[in-house]
Every structure is written in C-alpha cells, then in structure tokens.
Amino acid sequence: MEQLEYRKLIKVLEQVAAARRGTLYPVLAEALAVHLGWVDAFVAENPAYLALGNGGEEQYLTTFRPDFVEEYVERWRWNNPFASRDGVSCLTRHGMATLGQLRLRATGPERDFADKFLRRNGIDDMLKIVVRSRATSAVSTLGVPFDGARRAIEPGDRLMAATLGPLLSPYFDADLAPASARDVTPARSADGAIRSNHRDEY
C-alpha cells in the first residue's frame, strides 16, 4: 500500500477509535467519505448468508436513502448477487467483493438487481467488506455504493477494502449496537440510522 493510502487508512481508524459508544456507524461513514471518498457507506449486522446458523436477526444500520432500503427489502433482497454462491465464496475467502466481479456468473434476476434496481438509484458498482468479530464471531458487512460516472472502484479501493475489514473488527466488538424493535418496516432511530430486521441483507 502506498504511503498516501496508508495515511488515509490511519485517519479513518483514528476517527473510528475516537467515536463515543453508540456512534460507531455514523462516525465510520463520515470517516470513509472524508478520507477515502467512499460516500453513503452503510453497515448491516448479522447477514443471513454469512451468519449461517446464528439464529439472530439481521439489521440494516444506515443513513442511506430510506426509500431505497425499503424497496430492497420488499422486492429485491432475494436476488442480491452478494448472497449468491459466488458472492458468499468471494466474501468468505477474501473478506471483500465487488458487484462487478460477480456479474460474469450472475443469473438473470441477479443482473436485474444491478441493472433495474441499483442503476436506477445511481449505483453502478458496489464494494462489500466483511467485518468479523474476533471476540464473538459475529459478522457484519460494510457496503459502499459507487457511481461509475463520478467514481469507479479502482484497484486501490479493493486493496483498502481487504485491509480495512480486519482492522475494524476490534471497534465493532467494543461498540455493539443495541437491539432494535422487532418490526419489518425500516424505521429511523435516534441517531438517524435505518434499522430493520430481516433474514437477508443488502
């Protein structure tokens, strides 16, 4: 990793380390936007396709477009390419994946997910990063949408993603989000996040 990129990574971690308890996710989203140019990043806890047998409830913790999250939950979550066999394999082996690399072997519904849902919402590619808790083995994902017209995923982004996931683990351990109400409709919490419980995750 080049020295400049390493400095950006350190700035993200410093900002996350200074976050007060319960504010990790908004602080992380801001740090990623400011230092890495990763705008609208969001966290999902306990994704069903990576936390098999966990039995817990999935939660979306994001300030990213409530209407987008609602449409995903209601119509598109079953066709999420990251939940495909290739997607799970890539996320498990490498700790990260991009929508672009999964597209080659995507099914028709999975391509529709990208072309008819994501692209309509201004997203041309998506970077997904796995964060596993060393203390509890719980798993979360960090999703970063990219608008190809302004910002495409580059090799440096992939390297940063592979490096960042393990480094975030201790902070996720220390700042476990409180359980939200068990409803099926995304709702705003006090910190402005969208919290919704489902068995599949974006």
Side-chain angles (χ1 to χ4, degrees):
M1 184 177 292
E2 296 183 4
Q3 187 173 8
L4 177 60
E5 298 303 306
Y6 180 74
R7 288 176 179 172
K8 291 179 181 178
L9 175 62
I10 293 301
K11 288 180 180 179
V12 169
L13 295 175
E14 286 177 344
Q15 198 165 332
V16 167
R20 289 179 289 107
R21 183 171 179 80
T23 65
L24 173 64
Y25 299 133
V27 169
L28 174 59
E30 179 183 1
L32 295 174
V34 170
H35 301 300
L36 302 183
W38 292 357
V39 179
D40 289 329
F42 59 90
V43 172
E45 292 181 341
N46 195 35
Y49 56 86
L50 292 177
L52 298 176
N54 184 294
E57 292 292 338
E58 224 168 53
Q59 294 183 357
Y60 312 102
L61 301 117
T62 176
T63 56
F64 183 72
R65 307 181 200 173
D67 55 340
F68 173 90
V69 176
E70 288 178 11
E71 183 180 352
Y72 167 74
V73 167
E74 292 175 3
R75 182 177 177 187
W76 296 103
R77 61 193 178 110
W78 304 113
N79 301 322
N80 181 355
F82 292 104
S84 69
R85 183 174 180 179
D86 285 347
V88 171
S89 176
C90 193
L91 290 168
T92 302
R93 291 176 60 191
H94 305 293
M96 56 83 60
T98 68
L99 190 66
Q101 73 187 107
L102 299 177
R103 187 176 178 83
L104 292 176
R105 296 173 63 177
T107 64
E110 289 166 357
R111 286 193 293 273
D112 286 344
F113 179 94
D115 296 340
K116 296 181 180 180
F117 174 54
L118 294 186
R119 194 156 293 163
R120 174 164 48 82
N121 284 278
I123 300 171
D124 293 313
D125 208 344
M126 176 73 69
L127 182 64
K128 184 76 75 174
I129 303 167
V130 177
V131 183
R132 294 188 183 275
S133 166
R134 299 172 191 170
T136 67
S137 298
V139 61
S140 299
T141 57
L142 176 64
V144 186
F146 283 77
D147 176 356
R150 292 177 297 176
R151 176 87 158 81
I153 297 177
E154 300 175 353
D157 294 308
R158 294 186 182 90
L159 177 59
M160 184 67 74
T163 305
L164 184 61
L167 294 176
L168 287 175
S169 176
Y171 303 107
F172 276 58
D173 286 343
D175 195 298
L176 297 176
S180 62
R182 301 302 186 188
D183 54 39
V184 296
T185 304
R188 283 205 175 274
S189 65
D191 62 5
I194 300 298
R195 299 176 186 268
S196 182
N197 299 305
H198 291 278
R199 292 304 304 164
D200 282 273
E201 172 269 343
Y202 177 74

